[in-house]
Amino acid sequence: MTREAVIESSADVVAVRRLVRSAAIEVGLSLIDQTKIITAASELVRNALVYAGRGELRVDVVENGAKRGLRLVVNDEGPGIPDIEQALTDGWTTGTGLGLGLGGSRRLVDEFDLLSKPGQGTTVTVTKWAR
Amino acid sequence: MDRVPILKLGDLLIVSIQVDLDDQSVLVLQEDLAAAVVSRGAKGVIIDISAVEIVDSFTGRMLATIAAMCRMLDAHAVVVGMRPAVAITLVELGLSLGGVRTALDLEKGVALLNHVGGTAR
Ligand SMILES: Nc1ncnc2c1ncn2[C@@H]1O[C@H](COP(=O)(O)OP(=O)(O)O)[C@@H](O)[C@H]1O
Ligand SMILES: [Mg+2]
């Protein structure tokens, strides 16, 4: 079942954490993997909120043979990221954060894909498979 | 917005985070705590996160900031009750919280503060 959320405020970020938790439980992720994917979701939707002012999240249950997983797509129509490698570097920030959101999220999931172009927004897709 | 209550116990302040805080509430808690350390002359601050299910880089930074702030205000901070899944996730996220003292539970946190603070209660 697909779930969707719009992120326009910091309360929406809290709501996303709740939504991703219930989807992660439904798909059978372990407690640690639930915690990891919720944390990644929190980082990615906060980025959409902070850097683009608004974003959207789509949550899908995905299957690969006998494996089930959770796929999150976080999308915004903000300024985009000029240098993706740099943005993924730990400690790199153009804001006031710790610069760990993107690099950290990539480590917390099994699959990570970042699409972004200046002026054309940013889409981050992450997947966590149940073990 | 949720305002987290700050309890006073002797010269300690105790904060127990019981709900999933939005970023705004996290910043308010940080400011409230700084003010309370000074106005109540606290020597120690205990932040109980045993009910907290996730700590991301924003909340993690708050914990580090509170610890640093306490040091500058002549107090000690201890984070107690971190869940194992939260600890594993924080390390993978890249936040090892090096400057933050931790204890497994509230009782051990109080004992630690009594030890490092050398205060008699
Ligand atoms: N959705 C986004 N839109 C535009 N820029 C972004 C977005 N997400 C991340 N960035 C850029 O990448 C940098 C690193 O992001 P991140 O690793 O989350 O650290 P932080 O948010 O603490 O700066 C940000 O400072 C910002 O410049
Ligand atoms: Mg970020």
Side-chain angles (χ1 to χ4, degrees):
Chain A
M1 193 187 81
T2 298
R3 304 168 208 224
E4 286 171 320
V6 172
I7 301 97
E8 290 177 321
S9 71
S10 60
D12 293 336
V13 177
V14 175
V16 160
R17 293 198 285 255
R18 200 164 39 227
L19 181 138
V20 173
R21 170 177 305 284
S22 70
I25 291 171
E26 181 187 303
V27 83
L29 293 186
S30 70
L31 180 59
I32 288 173
D33 286 344
Q34 287 171 34
T35 307
K36 289 180 180 181
I37 188 91
I38 298 164
T39 304
S42 186
E43 295 292 343
L44 297 174
V45 301
R46 178 184 295 106
N47 280 352
L49 180 65
V50 169
Y51 302 109
R54 182 186 187 280
E56 285 167 12
L57 167 75
R58 208 188 124 110
V59 181
D60 281 304
V61 175
V62 288
E63 285 177 27
N64 182 357
K67 277 201 306 187
R68 275 175 31 113
L70 204 59
R71 177 161 297 154
L72 313 181
V73 182
V74 180
N75 171 64
D76 69 62
E77 291 171 4
I81 301 175
D83 185 338
I84 292 175
E85 268 320 299
Q86 190 174 47
L88 278 162
T89 305
D90 282 356
W92 167 263
T93 179
T94 60
T96 58
L98 294 173
L100 292 173
L102 288 179
S105 297
R106 179 160 66 170
R107 286 187 290 275
L108 289 171
V109 298
D110 297 319
E111 290 162 29
F112 181 97
D113 180 56
L114 198 169
L115 271 174
S116 185
K117 272 217 181 88
Q120 289 178 32
T122 300
T123 303
V124 186
T125 305
V126 300
T127 308
K128 191 90 189 160
W129 295 102
R131 268 164 254 278
Chain B
M1 215 199 62
D2 295 290
R3 205 161 195 129
V4 182
I6 300 175
L7 309 177
K8 191 173 190 314
L9 183 78
D11 53 11
L12 296 184
L13 297 178
I14 300 179
V15 169
S16 179
I17 301 175
Q18 293 294 331
V19 293
D20 189 356
L21 297 174
D22 67 78
D23 291 0
Q24 213 47 48
S25 304
V26 165
L27 293 178
V28 168
L29 171 60
Q30 203 171 290
E31 286 164 20
D32 283 355
L33 254 181
V37 167
V38 173
S39 71
R40 306 190 188 186
K43 286 290 162 206
V45 171
I46 296 182
I47 303 152
D48 179 1
I49 60 165
S50 56
V52 174
E53 293 177 326
I54 82 130
V55 174
D56 62 15
S57 68
F58 197 88
T59 323
R61 184 178 57 168
M62 168 196 72
L63 298 175
T65 303
I66 288 174
M69 171 197 93
C70 282
R71 277 195 292 277
M72 283 187 276
L73 297 175
D74 193 27
H76 297 273
V78 185
V79 171
V80 305
M82 185 183 291
R83 296 182 176 200
V86 169
I88 290 168
T89 300
L90 270 178
V91 170
E92 217 160 294
L93 191 63
L95 244 181
S96 50
L97 294 182
V100 180
R101 257 199 202 84
T102 57
L104 286 183
D105 57 36
L106 198 57
E107 204 181 333
K108 292 195 173 74
V110 173
L112 180 65
L113 282 180
N114 281 330
H115 182 67
V116 296
T119 52
R121 241 178 304 275

